[in-house]
Amino acid sequence: MPAIEDSGVVVLGWWVSMFTTRVRIALAEKGISYEYIEEDIPNKSPLLLKHNPIYKKVPVLIHKGKPICESLIIVQYIHETWKEGYPLLPSDPFLKSQAAFWADYIDKHIYQVVKLTWDSKGEEMQKRVEEFLGYLKVLERELGEKPYFNGESFGFVDMALICYYSHIIGFGKIGNFSVEKDTPKLFAWATQCMKRESVSMTLADPNKIYELLIEIRKKNGLED
């Protein structure tokens, strides 16, 4: 009997991981069927350690027994492997390079600040919020009046950012800011993205993310 990872397309993920969400959105946009295996991150499975021995992180896409790691790389792989159907990246080399730039910006800045909400409060938290809103406003300026970052079509940068949305809402409740109020164009963009089944059916419940963030903060002595 063949091993489970040899059975076509498999995703190793974790419901909390925005990067897992990103990959699942890409697969949904392409209409690709796959087997999803939820990882218990505190107790990583032998399957995960086998297929991502360097970083030991989710997500991992296993295609025909071969692992692909790191979510942006996985999305590019999906785009290049399944050429039929919805394009995830622009065909123009310049536009493709710009999409890669902004996706990298998102993961360098948005992720780091969200992560720091786990261990800051008071003035330090306020500083993080101001820094975070600054990054969001940079993205808002790049979006401009377009419905999506790529223009009229949902694409690579949209997938890179929308996967953070539940975490951003949770961070907003802790840091006392509102995407709708502070970055209204991004809020309108997120609302538009949520109309897509690939997004609405994949994003984690923001209330559950908020509850998890509070639990982590309590463990770190930042909440009563």
Side-chain angles (χ1 to χ4, degrees):
M1 189 172 180
I4 192 169
E5 65 266 33
D6 294 331
S7 61
V9 182
V10 178
V11 175
L12 309 182
W14 185 35
W15 73 272
V16 179
S17 165
M18 64 282 286
F19 305 119
T20 296
T21 298
R22 179 182 289 167
V23 169
R24 299 187 77 180
I25 289 172
L27 288 167
E29 287 291 340
K30 282 289 189 180
I32 300 165
S33 299
Y34 61 95
E35 180 172 2
Y36 176 72
I37 300 175
E38 177 76 7
E39 282 288 330
D40 177 10
I41 293 303
N43 302 287
K44 297 174 183 178
S45 72
L47 192 62
L48 175 59
L49 298 177
K50 172 186 174 183
H51 288 293
N52 192 355
I54 305 300
Y55 291 125
K56 304 176 178 64
K57 293 179 179 179
V58 295
V60 178
L61 177 76
I62 306 171
H63 182 216
K64 297 180 179 178
K66 297 178 180 178
I68 303 94
C69 304
E70 298 295 292
S71 64
L72 291 178
I73 294 171
I74 294 171
V75 173
Q76 292 177 58
Y77 178 87
I78 292 168
H79 171 76
E80 293 169 8
T81 301
W82 291 277
K83 298 184 183 297
E84 306 81 9
Y86 194 86
L88 306 180
L89 278 156
S91 57
D92 178 85
F94 175 74
L95 294 178
K96 189 179 291 185
S97 73
Q98 295 305 293
F101 172 87
W102 286 109
D104 181 68
Y105 178 92
I106 289 163
D107 279 357
K108 279 182 177 172
H109 297 296
I110 303 301
Y111 176 67
Q112 289 303 321
V113 178
V114 168
K115 194 166 69 169
L116 288 169
T117 63
W118 299 350
D119 57 6
S120 58
K121 65 177 181 177
E123 291 183 6
E124 182 67 18
M125 171 63 80
Q126 189 57 41
K127 179 182 175 183
R128 300 300 182 195
V129 168
E130 291 172 6
E131 180 183 2
F132 186 71
L133 289 175
Y135 294 138
L136 288 185
K137 287 174 182 177
V138 168
L139 290 165
E140 193 172 52
R141 287 195 296 273
E142 173 60 20
L143 177 65
E145 302 301 324
K146 305 186 297 291
Y148 298 110
F149 282 92
N150 191 42
E152 296 300 317
S153 59
F154 181 80
F156 192 66
V157 182
D158 304 295
M159 276 179 277
L161 184 57
I162 195 61
C163 64
Y164 284 93
Y165 196 57
S166 295
H167 295 73
I168 292 172
I169 293 172
F171 180 24
K173 290 181 179 179
I174 294 168
N176 195 28
F177 71 88
S178 163
V179 175
E180 183 174 8
K181 177 182 175 183
D182 294 305
T183 53
K185 288 182 180 178
L186 275 186
F187 177 77
W189 161 83
T191 302
Q192 181 75 8
C193 289
M194 289 296 292
K195 293 178 182 178
R196 304 184 74 85
E197 187 174 337
S198 65
V199 176
S200 63
M201 297 295 288
T202 308
L203 276 182
D205 182 338
N207 292 320
K208 290 184 178 179
I209 294 294
Y210 170 71
E211 290 168 4
L212 179 64
L213 290 173
I214 290 296
E215 184 180 329
I216 293 170
R217 287 174 60 81
K218 284 181 178 178
K219 289 179 179 177
N220 292 339
L222 299 173
E223 298 282 346
D224 296 327

